[in-house]
Amino acid sequence: MIKVAILILALMAYATQERHKVWQSEGALWEDIVAKSPLKPRGHLNLGNFYFARGHLDKAIQKYVDTANLKDNRPPFHYRSAALSNIGAIFIGQRRYAEAEKMLEMSVAEEPSVAPAINLAVIQMRTGKVDKALALLTKMLDKEPSEPSLLFNRAEAYRLLGRCAEAEVDYLAAYRENPDSPVRTCDVQ
């Protein structure tokens, strides 16, 4: 009986030590989660986020692609939409605007949220699709009427279109919501 108890204690100590190794780093934790639950998107998304934050962009993109391709992508949180948005953000950093725009359009279509919508609008403004950007930002402001980053970016779209009065209204509204928001005037270029 004592030998069995010692054996059980030794096995438990070993298991504890092995589990402790997993918790030593965030990357090891998410790799373990993905290995144990390969069909669940959350682990893949968070492992992608881990790689992204550390500049391992190819690995991050692969984990985001894995996330987007999993079938368990349903509300309330769309892991697929977040993965597509993050791929878009990587592509923006790499100046791959056409690819970024495609990813962000899919992300916003699935789950319209502020960050991917702003990124998409900024790309659209940079590539001469200012009317499209303005329509997207206005639609997002219908859902989030006091979001300063949406207000500021819509002001930028108005400015690019030469609609200075509307731009200045949005610049001021953005500043009222967030005093750290840049204060600009509409100098049409």
Side-chain angles (χ1 to χ4, degrees):
M1 187 71 153
I2 291 179
K3 289 181 182 181
V4 171
I6 290 173
L7 179 62
I8 291 171
L9 281 173
L11 288 172
M12 290 175 69
Y14 175 77
T16 299
Q17 183 179 4
E18 289 302 304
R19 196 72 197 143
H20 181 68
K21 288 178 188 176
V22 169
W23 287 89
Q24 288 295 321
S25 81
E26 183 183 354
L29 174 65
W30 288 116
E31 286 170 353
D32 184 65
I33 289 169
V34 167
K36 290 180 178 165
S37 300
L39 300 178
K40 295 191 176 180
R42 181 178 180 199
H44 291 277
L45 180 67
N46 286 325
L47 184 53
N49 292 343
F50 173 80
Y51 290 143
F52 188 8
R54 282 150 188 82
H56 304 294
L57 302 183
D58 290 337
K59 285 182 171 183
I61 289 171
Q62 185 55 57
K63 285 289 103 191
Y64 294 144
V65 167
D66 291 347
T67 303
N69 290 332
L70 289 171
K71 295 200 184 327
D72 189 20
N73 279 297
R74 57 182 180 262
F77 181 77
H78 294 263
Y79 294 103
R80 176 179 162 78
S81 178
L84 294 169
S85 175
N86 291 346
I87 294 170
I90 290 171
F91 287 164
I92 289 171
Q94 296 173 334
R95 298 179 192 270
R96 295 164 60 184
Y97 297 125
E99 294 165 282
E101 185 174 13
K102 182 180 175 185
M103 292 294 121
L104 292 165
E105 283 174 344
M106 290 189 295
S107 175
V108 170
E110 287 191 22
E111 182 183 356
S113 59
V114 172
I118 288 172
N119 286 338
L120 177 55
V122 168
I123 288 171
Q124 290 169 336
M125 286 188 277
R126 286 183 183 173
T127 57
K129 302 171 192 165
V130 182
D131 287 324
K132 229 175 155 178
L134 180 60
L136 173 61
L137 293 164
T138 299
K139 180 179 175 184
M140 292 301 297
L141 279 161
D142 288 342
K143 296 177 183 181
E144 303 268 349
S146 59
E147 173 56 47
S149 53
L150 290 171
L151 289 162
F152 179 82
N153 281 286
R154 186 171 72 174
E156 290 288 288
Y158 281 138
R159 182 184 61 80
L160 291 170
L161 292 170
R163 294 166 61 177
C164 291
E166 292 158 298
E168 290 180 0
V169 167
D170 276 357
Y171 283 134
L172 288 173
Y175 178 76
R176 275 194 304 274
E177 293 298 327
N178 177 9
D180 291 331
S181 185
V183 177
R184 294 189 70 169
T185 58
C186 186
D187 298 321
V188 180
Q189 299 175 7

